[in-house]
Amino acid sequence: MALRVTPGMMQGQLMRNINHNLTRMQGQQNELSTGRKLNKPSDDPVGITYSLRYRSELAMNEQYDKNIAQAKSQLDHADTVLGQLNDVVQRVQELSVQALNGTNPQSALDAISIEVGQIYEQAVIFGNDQLNGKYIFNGQMTDKTPYNPATASTTTAPETDDQLFKVRFAAGVTVATNVTGGEVFGKTTDTDNLFKALKDIQNALSPTADRAALADAYARLNTRYDKIINIRSEVGARTNRIDLIDTRLQDLNYNLTGLQSKTEDTDMAETIMKYNQEEAVYQASLSTGAKIISPTLIDYLR
């Protein structure tokens, strides 16, 4: 039995085809207006999983970037303070050598003693240095003053906190961003404690000179000076490592951004060409439909 094709069937099929062509053209137009070929999960169910993964990694790397900037700031500041401390310790070494030559009158030794006393006060200021309102040489107890000028050179002074701040820069990668007062200035029980050595040098010069005590304190000061240099070298090594991590992280961000762009962003030249093709098809379907629908019953009765 032959199938009868009615005008209603022709019109319904025509409208379905026109709507289909319009939908395809609209899809290309949507890509052009947004610049993205992945606007909803149904556009590419597989691609959306990669896109979300890239976005997640980029978000984590953004936090790592902030950690790197903070760590560099802390280490650079610590290096600056250690450099200043290094300078004042060198000055005390020069004064001690001058006092040990045995040709200075007591008045000159008294003047040296006064200067060493001022350097002692300055060393305590270095020990109580702050960055953003936090004490940098008191471990994780950044809200408590680590040193008191009156007790810093005694064995009864409280120890500074010895915990390090370890900042994460990648999965399983952490670097300490601070140094403790015990490492830099020495613990209260250390014979080469910086404050004790400075105070002993000052006391060995005035009111009367004690060359043996001065020589002993000078030797302990030299030992502490070597440790300060080593600590400063370690700070520099940490900074260099963070710079390497930063470089690697920037390269990773560049690669992830490129992969994300390939997954989400549309090729504008290709999309424009496809849009023009779909528009031509749509216009052709409208033109063809106008010719099919235009005949009426009156046309057949003529």
Side-chain angles (χ1 to χ4, degrees):
M1 179 178 179
L3 177 65
R4 181 187 177 191
V5 178
T6 66
M9 294 173 62
M10 294 176 62
Q11 292 176 8
Q13 183 63 39
L14 175 64
M15 293 304 299
R16 284 192 294 272
N17 291 336
I18 290 176
N19 285 331
H20 177 67
N21 293 337
L22 180 62
T23 300
R24 291 169 58 184
M25 186 180 72
Q26 183 184 18
Q28 299 300 323
Q29 186 182 41
N30 189 43
E31 287 189 24
L32 286 175
S33 61
T34 62
R36 296 162 55 87
K37 62 183 178 183
L38 187 58
N39 292 290
K40 55 184 183 297
S42 60
D43 291 337
D44 186 357
V46 176
I48 193 67
T49 60
Y50 286 100
S51 175
L52 293 175
R53 187 179 305 164
Y54 298 146
R55 286 171 178 264
S56 177
E57 291 188 26
L58 286 170
M60 287 190 297
N61 289 349
E62 182 179 358
Q63 181 58 53
Y64 291 146
D65 279 334
K66 295 178 181 179
N67 292 352
I68 286 174
Q70 179 183 5
K72 283 184 177 180
S73 174
Q74 292 175 340
L75 289 173
D76 287 345
H77 183 75
D79 181 67
T80 299
V81 176
L82 290 174
Q84 296 171 346
L85 180 64
N86 178 84
D87 292 340
V88 299
V89 172
Q90 283 184 333
R91 176 56 180 166
V92 177
Q93 288 176 318
E94 295 172 1
L95 293 173
S96 298
V97 171
Q98 180 180 346
L100 284 169
N101 63 25
T103 61
N104 298 284
Q106 186 58 46
S107 59
L109 297 179
D110 291 340
I112 293 175
S113 177
I114 293 174
E115 184 174 352
V116 172
Q118 293 299 312
I119 291 175
Y120 169 85
E121 297 291 337
Q122 186 60 42
V124 174
I125 292 175
F126 288 146
N128 293 332
D129 189 81
Q130 293 176 287
L131 177 65
N132 295 328
K134 298 179 180 180
Y135 293 101
I136 67 173
F137 291 122
N138 202 19
Q140 296 183 3
M141 307 293 290
T142 57
D143 58 335
K144 296 182 179 180
T145 306
Y147 297 108
N148 185 326
T151 61
S153 62
T154 66
T155 57
T156 58
E159 295 285 3
T160 58
D161 185 56
D162 61 356
Q163 298 299 310
L164 297 175
F165 278 107
K166 293 187 177 181
V167 180
R168 183 180 299 275
F169 301 108
V173 178
T174 59
V175 177
T177 60
N178 68 320
V179 291
T180 65
E183 293 176 309
V184 177
F185 303 94
K187 297 182 178 180
T188 57
T189 56
D190 292 341
T191 57
D192 62 348
N193 178 280
L194 178 63
F195 302 117
K196 188 175 189 318
L198 291 175
K199 186 61 70 173
D200 288 345
I201 289 174
Q202 180 185 9
N203 294 335
L205 293 171
S206 182
T208 57
D210 186 340
R211 290 176 56 83
L214 177 60
D216 177 68
Y218 173 66
R220 289 185 278 117
L221 180 68
N222 289 339
T223 302
R224 176 50 52 183
Y225 176 74
D226 292 338
K227 292 180 180 179
I228 293 174
I229 292 177
N230 291 336
I231 290 295
R232 194 178 182 191
S233 298
E234 182 179 342
V235 169
R238 293 180 193 174
T239 303
N240 290 337
R241 184 184 179 191
I242 292 175
D243 287 337
L244 293 174
I245 294 173
D246 188 20
T247 300
R248 176 185 175 279
L249 192 61
Q250 297 308 318
D251 291 340
L252 181 59
N253 283 339
Y254 177 80
N255 293 334
L256 287 173
T257 302
L259 291 171
Q260 182 187 22
S261 178
K262 290 180 180 179
T263 303
E264 298 182 3
D265 298 343
T266 187
D267 185 333
M268 297 301 290
E270 181 182 359
T271 304
I272 290 173
M273 182 181 66
K274 289 182 178 180
Y275 173 76
N276 290 334
Q277 290 175 346
E278 298 297 343
E279 184 181 26
V281 171
Y282 176 66
Q283 294 296 336
S285 64
L286 289 177
S287 177
T288 302
K291 294 177 181 179
I292 294 175
I293 296 177
S294 59
T296 66
L297 180 60
I298 301 300
D299 294 320
Y300 290 107
L301 294 177
R302 289 176 181 176

